[in-house]
Amino acid sequence: MILPLPSMSACCAASILFQLLLTCILPFAQAEPIRPNPVVELAARQTIIPGGRPCGQNNATNRRCWKNSWSVDTDYDLTNPPAFNTRNIDLHITNVSNWLGPDGVRKPAMLINGQFPGPTLEADWGDYMQVNVYNDMQDNGTSIHWHGIRQFGESNQDGVNGITECPIPPGSMKSYTFHVTQYGTSWYHSHYSNQYGNGVVGPLIVRGPASANYDIDLGPYMMTDYYWQTADRLTLKAELVSNGAPPDSDNVLFRGKNVHPTNRTQGGSYDRLTLTPGKKHLLRLINASVDNSLTITLVGHNFTVIATDLVPVKPIVKSSLFMAVGQRYDVIIDANQAVANYWLNATLEAANNCGRSRNLFPAAIISYSGASTTALPTNKGNPITATCAGETGFVPIVTRTIPASQFPPVSNTSNTLPVSLAFPTPDPSRGAIFEWRVRNTPINVEWDHPVLEYILQGNTSFPGSINLVDLPAPPNNANSTWTFWIIQNQFVLPHPVHLHGHDFLILGIGSGTFNPSTMTNQLNFNNPTRRDVVQMPGSGWVVIAYKMDNPGVWLMHCHIGWHAAGGLGVQFLERKSEIKGLMKLDQMVPNCNAWRAYAPTSPYLPKKDSGLKRRMGMGEMGMDLEGESPVRRLA
């Protein structure tokens, strides 16, 4: 009940109201934000400044705007909306020995909150996220990586065991707390061996503005290859040269669903997504596979692409979309066709250069509201010839341009990363294995001694086996300094290359060997495609660049599980001297101590893997880099 104020002078009333403001209202307005779990504390690192000219609220006719003061044109590396929310989420990871899979086949699985895929994590642009990860498994460690999230000044939240943290041991919990400074579609997954292939994976979406209008956000659409055996067993098979090509997936799932690939009566069902006739729909496509690249088509419809990974782009219409492992596209589908059911098809390249499946025709159903909810589509669509080539033609909304003169001189070869394949025999009883190398080294990180713990201890004696590149400090610590990398593929198979902590500019892609003395004119320095996963062609090259503006240690690796398991990774130590001042690295110690106490009791340790995915172990110092120091410190 509100009581009337007694009669008083205007001056007296104003004084009372001012006192009420001081004592009742301002304490709430100035209250401390919700504090994260003390296990992980977010370091202050950014001043929130107002956005641009007011542009209205985000709605079906004004998607370019966000909360009136920010828009799709806002440079999200410089300013973000204030954290209107702290998203608190609990994830419980469990293992199930006899799980009834979505296609009717029972198998062992690892689930998040009892489901596969894991629950969708949702936030608004600028929010804080606190995700409490509980390891409820009996005999496995875990860690969770937030794919594509920049983690500005928060490298210790990146979730990569052996690099930014120790694994979370069974019976323990870790709180990840981070700021979402981008918006769009991504996913989260375990970075502990090939664990995400067992089910530890889920969508992550950050709501924000868009470069084109739409009526309905349909949410994430996660597609995954799917295996009836555990990823651990399959990795051991895949690494043996005597077994030939990696195992075919048993199925391809759409939002965790599909029929049995060879016998529809055995179980399962097609995923069915409903469109509203006459409306434009945002669909957030995610390829969260272990191995299979997918080319996506929707019979009778085109896709209007408005974002690549977490980078908004000028709208571009595509009739099909190649999706390498780890890539995402935000697309708009216009429901302007007859009310009916339509096949959404995923086609794999026929020669098995970027994955193969026992399901020869993976598909799901896109159904218009008012169509039969049980009938299958009748039009299979026109067959396409899928390749392993990445998509091109995307123009980012927020531009990035580099003076071509900053590209390293021809005499500088330290920015070249050769990717090669070797066939060593570390265990004669098993025979030769496939071993992927970057800089002639298969990465093999230390789960019990992550790189950030080295930094905490002031120890720079990094073992060569972790394949670390110690980047020089930018001149005057400038955030505008770019680093350039020529990734040269010396084998015929393509690789989806993912970099943590950065979106990178794809300056160029081509076949053969990149020669900087004659081929620099093939590079685009004026706002080229920007994303966090690029498909590097077999026997080809890709040249990338990114700003050295994010202190931390950042992994770059192939996102094919078998290749990462075989050692295809390198890590960059960036702005090393600033890391301890930005992050409370001592908070990793209790979890690392718990892991070190658990490891001797585990029936599956010591590990025989790269630490990122499974791999037969190498010696402590890794491979000789043809006379180079195993840890490269660039001058």
Side-chain angles (χ1 to χ4, degrees):
M1 181 172 62
I2 300 177
L3 298 176
L5 291 172
S7 177
M8 62 187 73
S9 69
C11 178
C12 182
S15 175
I16 292 175
L17 287 173
F18 181 73
Q19 291 299 319
L20 285 172
L21 178 67
L22 289 178
T23 58
C24 299
I25 298 175
L26 284 182
F28 288 100
Q30 298 175 345
E32 289 291 317
I34 298 174
R35 302 292 295 174
N37 188 296
V39 175
V40 178
E41 185 172 341
L42 197 70
R45 59 161 186 80
Q46 185 180 45
T47 300
I48 302 298
I49 60 177
R53 179 181 299 176
C55 59
Q57 295 302 312
N58 184 270
N59 56 47
T61 60
N62 189 30
R63 294 296 183 191
R64 295 185 68 89
C65 198
W66 186 251
K67 298 185 186 298
N68 193 38
S69 298
W70 295 267
S71 77
V72 73
D73 299 304
T74 302
D75 189 336
Y76 42 80
D77 283 351
L78 300 179
T79 183
N80 310 112
F84 291 106
N85 306 287
T86 296
R87 309 283 178 167
N88 293 285
I89 303 152
D90 290 340
L91 299 180
H92 289 264
I93 303 175
T94 56
N95 50 270
V96 183
S97 59
N98 192 31
W99 181 60
L100 180 60
D103 57 5
V105 177
R106 290 193 174 273
K107 56 164 283 183
M110 296 176 179
L111 307 177
I112 303 178
N113 292 1
Q115 67 183 69
F116 171 78
T120 298
L121 307 188
E122 301 183 49
D124 288 346
W125 181 23
D127 283 353
Y128 285 119
M129 299 189 74
Q130 178 172 313
V131 189
N132 306 310
V133 177
Y134 295 82
N135 183 355
D136 295 336
M137 297 181 288
Q138 288 77 38
D139 297 309
N140 281 276
T142 196
S143 69
I144 299 295
H145 169 58
W146 321 98
H147 184 111
I149 300 300
R150 288 288 308 275
Q151 305 290 6
F152 270 116
E154 301 166 348
S155 180
N156 57 329
Q157 306 300 307
D158 198 40
V160 187
N161 37 221
I163 295 180
T164 63
E165 63 182 72
C166 294
I168 307 169
S172 295
M173 182 273 283
K174 175 181 171 66
S175 289
Y176 296 89
T177 308
F178 52 92
H179 191 196
V180 286
T181 59
Q182 310 130 280
Y183 53 87
T185 302
S186 201
W187 57 304
Y188 62 95
H189 60 84
S190 171
H191 234 298
Y192 181 94
S193 294
N194 260 329
Q195 196 172 75
Y196 88 79
N198 290 327
V200 187
V201 60
L204 190 164
I205 65 171
V206 182
R207 290 178 290 267
S211 62
N213 289 332
Y214 59 87
D215 299 295
I216 300 169
D217 186 344
L218 295 172
Y221 199 83
M222 178 171 278
M223 297 164 286
T224 57
D225 54 14
Y226 183 70
Y227 302 84
W228 295 334
Q229 292 191 49
T230 65
D232 310 85
R233 289 182 178 273
L234 291 171
T235 305
L236 292 174
K237 290 182 179 181
E239 72 179 357
L240 289 178
V241 174
S242 59
N243 286 336
D248 298 345
S249 66
D250 292 298
N251 212 335
V252 175
L253 304 184
F254 301 81
R255 295 198 302 176
K257 299 177 184 178
N258 211 339
V259 296
H260 191 279
T262 59
N263 182 5
R264 284 189 55 198
T265 64
Q266 185 165 335
S269 62
Y270 288 109
D271 181 60
R272 190 179 292 263
L273 182 69
T274 302
L275 304 183
T276 300
K279 298 295 185 180
K280 293 182 178 181
H281 304 76
L282 173 65
L283 190 61
R284 303 168 179 270
L285 301 174
I286 307 167
N287 184 358
S289 295
V290 173
D291 180 51
N292 291 177
S293 294
L294 307 170
T295 298
I296 308 303
T297 55
L298 175 57
V299 174
H301 298 74
N302 289 322
F303 302 116
T304 300
V305 179
I306 61 171
T308 58
D309 298 346
L310 288 170
V311 178
V313 299
K314 293 182 179 180
I316 181 172
V317 176
K318 298 275 188 175
S319 59
S320 65
L321 277 174
F322 172 84
M323 299 191 67
V325 177
Q327 289 185 331
R328 294 90 64 209
Y329 287 104
D330 287 4
V331 303
I332 293 174
I333 300 172
D334 192 351
N336 58 4
Q337 299 298 304
V339 172
N341 295 316
Y342 297 86
W343 285 118
L344 180 79
N345 294 311
T347 306
L348 283 73
E349 187 258 4
N352 195 21
N353 288 310
C354 47
R356 187 167 61 188
S357 180
R358 292 182 63 204
N359 187 337
L360 301 180
F361 303 102
I365 298 171
I366 303 296
S367 180
Y368 277 54
S369 179
S372 170
T373 58
T374 58
L376 299 182
T378 56
N379 183 359
K380 295 182 179 180
N382 297 321
I384 67 168
T385 300
T387 71
C388 295
E391 295 287 340
T392 59
F394 303 110
V395 179
I397 297 289
V398 177
T399 62
R400 297 283 184 267
T401 298
I402 310 173
S405 59
Q406 291 190 18
F407 193 73
V410 175
S411 59
N412 183 2
T413 60
S414 62
N415 67 322
T416 298
L417 300 173
V419 175
S420 58
L421 180 63
F423 310 94
T425 309
D427 182 354
S429 67
R430 300 185 73 237
I433 64 170
F434 294 109
E435 181 176 86
W436 293 98
R437 300 175 178 180
V438 181
R439 303 190 307 138
N440 203 33
T441 297
I443 193 170
N444 188 16
V445 302
E446 301 173 309
W447 277 351
D448 60 351
H449 197 5
V451 173
L452 286 184
E453 191 174 43
Y454 277 84
I455 300 300
L456 172 65
Q457 297 167 348
N459 180 1
T460 58
S461 298
F462 305 109
S465 58
I466 69 174
N467 209 9
L468 182 141
V469 177
D470 190 351
L471 297 171
N476 301 316
N477 289 327
N479 284 337
S480 58
T481 302
W482 293 88
T483 182
F484 300 84
W485 295 97
I486 301 168
I487 311 172
Q488 184 66 58
N489 191 351
Q490 298 177 348
F491 195 70
V492 297
L493 295 180
H495 300 284
V497 177
H498 171 50
L499 175 63
H500 294 214
H502 292 276
D503 296 323
F504 50 80
L505 280 64
I506 304 172
L507 302 182
I509 298 176
S511 58
T513 300
F514 182 81
N515 185 342
S517 64
T518 60
M519 299 171 66
T520 304
N521 61 350
Q522 297 184 26
L523 304 182
N524 177 18
F525 297 92
N526 184 19
N527 199 33
T529 298
R530 193 168 72 247
R531 60 190 318 162
D532 59 62
V533 180
V534 62
Q535 180 80 338
M536 178 172 64
S539 301
W541 54 270
V542 61
V543 179
I544 66 171
Y546 62 90
K547 280 185 180 180
M548 289 196 295
D549 59 358
N550 197 4
V553 57
W554 306 112
L555 175 66
M556 186 169 74
H557 64 100
C558 176
H559 222 297
I560 294 173
W562 325 129
H563 296 179
L568 207 166
V570 64
Q571 50 184 317
F572 299 105
L573 184 57
E574 182 176 342
R575 303 176 78 110
K576 176 175 58 181
S577 64
E578 302 173 43
I579 295 174
K580 288 178 68 174
L582 283 172
M583 306 162 213
K584 295 187 179 298
L585 297 182
D586 57 337
Q587 293 182 344
M588 79 171 67
V589 175
N591 184 67
C592 280
N593 287 341
W595 175 257
R596 288 187 280 258
Y598 160 75
T601 71
S602 169
Y604 302 115
L605 295 173
K607 69 179 177 66
K608 295 181 179 180
D609 69 324
S610 67
L612 310 172
K613 309 287 188 290
R614 290 197 61 84
R615 184 181 70 80
M616 296 303 296
M618 288 298 302
E620 182 180 7
M621 290 306 294
M623 302 298 295
D624 178 31
L625 295 180
E626 300 177 351
E628 295 185 58
S629 168
V631 175
R632 178 183 294 178
R633 292 177 175 86
L634 299 182

